[in-house]
Amino acid sequence: METTAHNRTLGRSGIEVSALGFGCWAIGGEWRSADGEPLGWGRVDDDESVRAIRRALDLGVTFFDTADVYGTGHSERVLGRALGKHRADVVVATKWGNLFDERTRIRHGQDDSPDHVRRALTASLRRLDTDHVDLYQLHISDAAPERAARLRDVCEELVREGLIRAYAWSTDDPARAAVFAEGPHCTAVQHRLNVLQDAHELLALCAESDLASINRSPLAMGLLTGKHTAGRSLENGDIRNAPPAWLPGFIADAGADPAWLRRVDALRDILTSEGRTLAQGALAWIWARSPRTIPIPGFRTVLQAEENAGAIAKGPLTAGQLADVDRILGQ
């Protein structure tokens, strides 16, 4: 697998992408669960989202990761609009498995049936305004392995039909990811990875199975941007203001968890070395962890796009800096 400071190969697929991808969850805007809990990152300006995506393209970002459920379809629509004539120049990843109502912006369940895969893909292609998806990902992290094996087979059919180029599972469970890895055209696993939340087993699986490691939450849901303080609540439409059990680091109606902020402060000098911003240092740590990693930080503005993309030129941390991080965190 060839890698450089600026590029990665997407696992066994041979598809080349930028070393940094852009995660498109936040640009979906506000959406909620059936019981009213926020699932988005608050309000967005679609025109600014489009400008941010196009600025990322100018800065060399070629990998964009979204999901059909982000903003209940809205993120895919915005990404498709922004890419336009540049669609052939980029690699687009999206996900399936959730059920939602675009009109009410409510997620109301999940569907892990083989029939739903094709329905979901057809709808995503329409919203993205494209004839294929480069990387199609199962978005049910805890799906039963035996059910997932059937979905893997359906994905192989979609590859043969030219509707997708490769597929992956978005899960933090190495055993589940290994089920998809048995498929010839499985080329990645999407999982959480950041300097505060390592993923040794999943990185080992990626190395053993020749998979790309696509990293969600690379900035720990914003904690590694340096922009959050304890006691400052977020807007009501932001998932971090009413964090579910799987989202540590934030306290309901009280902003960032002080204990997590103390860990960030302890790492600040290392992460901001060589003129990096805190966020750029967090991305540099991920690149240093493995040549297979592709972090996908979220964004809502042109300035965020520029800061994230600016990390590419600065490259990964050194092995010595990695060791210093482990020492500070007691790992």
Side-chain angles (χ1 to χ4, degrees):
M1 184 184 71
E2 295 183 6
T3 64
T4 69
H6 297 87
N7 297 297
R8 292 283 193 269
T9 300
L10 199 61
R12 61 179 79 149
S13 70
I15 299 169
E16 186 174 287
V17 296
S18 51
L20 180 76
F22 268 35
C24 299
W25 179 6
I27 65 169
E30 294 186 81
W31 51 295
R32 295 183 179 272
S33 66
D35 57 3
E37 293 299 316
L39 295 173
W41 289 58
R43 291 164 292 183
V44 291
D45 177 337
D46 290 344
D47 290 337
E48 179 70 1
S49 299
V50 168
R51 286 191 291 268
I53 291 167
R54 291 177 177 168
R55 181 62 177 143
L57 288 168
D58 292 341
L59 295 170
V61 175
T62 63
F63 182 55
F64 294 87
D65 176 90
T66 186
D68 59 1
V69 75
Y70 293 163
T72 59
H74 192 66
S75 174
E76 288 185 328
R77 293 185 186 281
V78 171
L79 180 60
R81 169 188 161 194
L83 293 178
K85 64 181 181 181
H86 296 289
R87 170 64 184 94
D89 302 324
V90 302
V91 174
V92 171
T94 193
K95 310 179 192 76
W96 92 93
N98 288 284
L99 300 173
F100 53 89
D101 186 319
E102 288 196 53
R103 182 182 58 82
T104 61
R105 289 197 164 221
I106 291 175
R107 186 192 71 181
H108 54 79
Q110 295 179 322
D111 190 339
D112 66 356
S113 69
D115 288 344
H116 179 65
V117 183
R118 288 182 177 275
R119 288 195 298 269
L121 178 59
T122 299
S124 286
L125 293 173
R126 182 180 67 250
R127 286 187 292 263
L128 288 163
D129 191 22
T130 187
D131 62 358
H132 73 281
V133 165
D134 298 291
L135 183 68
Y136 203 37
Q137 302 162 103
L138 175 58
H139 206 186
I140 305 176
S141 62
D142 59 352
E146 60 274 12
R147 298 278 291 180
R150 177 65 185 116
L151 298 177
R152 179 194 65 208
D153 294 342
V154 173
C155 286
E156 287 291 336
E157 295 171 9
L158 296 174
V159 172
R160 287 193 291 272
E161 294 169 24
L163 295 173
I164 66 174
R165 296 174 70 189
Y167 57 90
W169 194 343
S170 178
T171 180
D172 292 323
D173 182 354
R176 284 181 163 85
V179 172
F180 256 38
E182 293 176 10
H185 291 90
C186 177
T187 197
V189 55
Q190 182 168 144
H191 62 92
R192 181 178 60 197
L193 180 69
N194 60 66
V195 68
L196 303 175
Q197 298 169 293
D198 210 337
H200 298 278
E201 290 183 67
L202 281 160
L203 290 175
L205 173 68
C206 289
E208 293 163 4
S209 302
D210 193 13
L211 303 176
S213 163
I214 299 172
N215 313 125
R216 51 181 154 76
S217 298
L219 303 180
M221 303 291 282
L223 290 175
L224 289 162
T225 65
K227 298 170 184 174
H228 290 273
T229 57
R232 182 171 64 87
S233 63
L234 298 151
E235 62 180 285
N236 288 331
D238 192 319
I239 190 171
R240 296 168 296 181
N241 202 48
W246 56 262
L247 201 171
F250 291 88
I251 299 171
D253 299 315
D257 185 331
W260 283 65
L261 290 177
R262 286 193 292 271
R263 295 168 71 201
V264 173
D265 285 339
L267 298 171
R268 190 178 299 274
D269 286 348
I270 296 173
L271 298 182
T272 57
S273 62
E274 286 83 51
R276 295 180 176 95
T277 66
L278 187 64
Q280 289 171 345
L283 297 172
W285 178 88
I286 288 177
W287 288 321
R289 277 293 282 117
S290 165
R292 297 178 176 275
T293 53
I294 306 168
I296 50 169
F299 66 97
R300 281 190 280 186
T301 67
V302 170
L303 286 176
Q304 289 172 334
E306 291 175 338
E307 180 180 1
N308 291 339
I312 299 174
K314 297 180 184 297
L317 296 183
T318 66
Q321 289 171 321
L322 272 187
D324 288 342
V325 168
D326 286 347
R327 175 180 51 79
I328 291 169
L329 295 178
Q331 296 176 171

